[in-house]
Amino acid sequence: MKAVILAGGFGTRISEESHLKPKPMIEIGGKPILWHIMKGYSHYGIHDFIICCGYKQHVIKEWFADYYLHNSDVTFDFTQKNEMTVHNNVAEPWRVTLVDTGLNTMTGGRVKRVQPYIGEESFFLTYGDGVADVNIPKLLAFHRSHGRIATLTTVTLDQRFGVLEVEDDGRIGSFREKAEQDGGRINGGFMVLEPAIFDYLEGDETVFEQKPLQTLVEEGQLMAYRHNGFWQCMDTAREKEKLEKLWALGKAPWKIWEA
């Protein structure tokens, strides 16, 4: 299976760094948060990634192009016609497809644009600015058990995202924008989707979290996987500092690849 990661937005709420790079390339512990997300999936055997690029996409492409240089010792021998030797190659078992999904394309439009790279198979979808210790095999098993088009991971957090009302069997009864008085479960990303999802995506102006998800709710095709562990997005400098502190203290719950 492939994992699609949305990495094309502007990241305006963390503008201290996002004016220089895409938000998924902002670093936690010296590595882009995008890398942290990919390492989590890879821990569970998901090695094929499609990255939906947009804003400052060249930064993402150049980082992957120079991955060995970022992670290995290198000798530049100028006496031997500028020969470069990479020592102790740090290789990931990854296949990474970087797709230009447009500068101003909405989330649903970005997913629609990568359809040719996915084909007729189930796939994962998540946001490029949030880390979690979600058990990917359990998430996938839950998705396959109910046979519906879409599963998203719900987390309990008092924040500013779309509110979900979840039935006892896991079916999502409603999906709406959060109001100040709301608590409850929110959309934490880490979704599993069937290729039928593309029928709900009309074009670049489609916001995935609006009409597509609302229509899936009305048709009984959207299910919730309840995650009660760690989840944290990185929308603000304060949230970045929180993640940095956890990493520095060796208490990063999402670092499952070394657990």
Side-chain angles (χ1 to χ4, degrees):
M1 286 181 66
K2 299 178 176 67
V4 177
I5 303 177
L6 293 166
F10 290 97
T12 54
R13 287 194 291 267
I14 191 169
S15 58
E16 295 88 346
E17 292 192 54
S18 63
H19 70 289
L20 299 173
K21 63 183 72 171
K23 186 164 62 165
M25 295 304 293
I26 295 175
E27 295 182 353
I28 301 298
K31 301 284 189 182
I33 193 170
L34 177 63
W35 176 89
H36 291 261
I37 296 167
M38 295 171 69
K39 288 288 284 187
Y41 275 105
S42 189
H43 172 73
Y44 289 115
I46 306 301
H47 307 307
D48 197 343
F49 297 95
I50 300 172
I51 312 298
C52 300
C53 303
Y55 173 68
K56 293 188 180 296
Q57 59 172 303
H58 68 279
V59 176
I60 303 177
K61 292 177 177 177
E62 290 171 3
W63 190 84
F64 279 105
D66 293 335
Y67 190 82
Y68 281 157
L69 295 181
H70 284 283
N71 294 279
S72 304
D73 296 332
V74 182
T75 297
F76 296 96
D77 191 342
F78 300 111
T79 69
Q80 298 294 325
K81 297 182 180 180
N82 296 334
E83 180 180 276
M84 181 182 75
T85 303
V86 180
H87 307 282
N88 303 318
N89 289 6
V90 178
E92 304 285 357
W94 296 347
R95 182 175 185 269
V96 185
T97 302
L98 304 167
V99 182
D100 177 7
T101 57
L103 183 62
N104 298 302
T105 309
M106 298 293 102
T107 49
R110 294 190 190 282
V111 178
K112 183 72 171 179
R113 285 207 188 191
V114 302
Q115 183 177 1
Y117 299 95
I118 295 172
E120 295 298 319
E121 63 175 342
S122 308
F123 64 98
F124 294 99
L125 172 68
T126 198
Y127 303 105
D129 62 354
V131 290
D133 58 355
V134 174
N135 186 304
I136 298 300
K138 289 184 178 179
L139 166 62
L140 181 58
F142 173 77
H143 175 76
R144 288 176 171 167
S145 73
H146 59 65
R148 292 178 172 88
I149 293 174
T151 298
L152 56 78
T153 295
T154 66
V155 295
T156 304
L157 203 63
D158 183 18
Q159 285 206 13
R160 54 193 176 278
F161 301 93
V163 175
L164 308 171
E165 294 180 5
V166 183
E167 308 296 340
D168 290 341
D169 65 354
R171 184 173 58 85
I172 294 178
S174 71
F175 185 97
R176 59 183 171 79
E177 293 302 309
K178 179 175 169 53
E180 288 187 9
Q181 66 270 22
D182 284 319
R185 287 190 170 268
I186 64 169
N187 174 14
F190 294 92
M191 296 169 252
V192 189
L193 303 170
E194 296 301 315
I197 191 65
F198 294 113
D199 295 335
Y200 295 77
L201 308 176
E202 297 176 358
D204 286 358
E205 301 302 316
T206 304
V207 178
F208 186 80
E209 299 78 9
Q210 294 180 3
K211 185 177 178 181
L213 289 190
Q214 291 164 356
T215 302
L216 288 171
V217 168
E218 292 167 3
E219 297 178 358
Q221 290 291 336
L222 182 60
M223 297 290 285
Y225 175 77
R226 292 178 173 89
H227 176 61
N228 296 316
F230 179 85
W231 178 90
Q232 179 63 58
C233 68
M234 189 184 66
D235 262 353
T236 65
R238 181 177 180 180
E239 289 166 344
K240 178 186 184 299
E241 291 169 5
K242 175 182 177 180
L243 293 172
E244 281 277 18
K245 184 176 181 179
L246 288 170
W247 185 268
L249 293 174
K251 297 179 179 180
W254 70 91
K255 195 180 179 182
I256 54 178
W257 56 92
E258 290 187 7

